[in-house]
Amino acid sequence: TLGGAGHSRPIAEAIAPGGTLLALDQDADAIAEATKTLADAPETVTVVLRQVNFAEIAAAVESAGIAGVDGVL
């Protein structure tokens, strides 16, 4: 799950330009903290945060309009 976005920040940098980072966490506080942490992610990366349980990953991917996934952490 997303947590404080400690892993997500370097992933966002690595997938630039043009990547999409989809991050999930059911904790609203984690989403709020990650929003701050990822605020300065590369502009060429699309950051999508969803407040859902990781068990709902398939629905989150579909609702974000993501056609395929290259990796899951």
Side-chain angles (χ1 to χ4, degrees):
T1 59
L2 178 60
H7 289 95
S8 297
R9 177 74 179 125
I11 291 171
E13 292 171 2
I15 64 174
T20 299
L21 174 69
L22 173 63
L24 312 177
D25 203 300
Q26 64 184 6
D27 181 355
D29 292 335
I31 295 290
E33 184 63 30
T35 299
K36 295 175 194 173
T37 302
L38 295 169
D40 63 349
E43 292 181 13
T44 59
V45 172
T46 301
V47 176
V48 180
L49 305 178
R50 294 283 191 260
Q51 186 181 345
V52 297
N53 186 289
F54 190 75
E56 300 174 40
I57 189 171
V61 169
E62 184 178 343
S63 73
I66 298 172
V69 176
D70 294 319
V72 175
L73 172 67

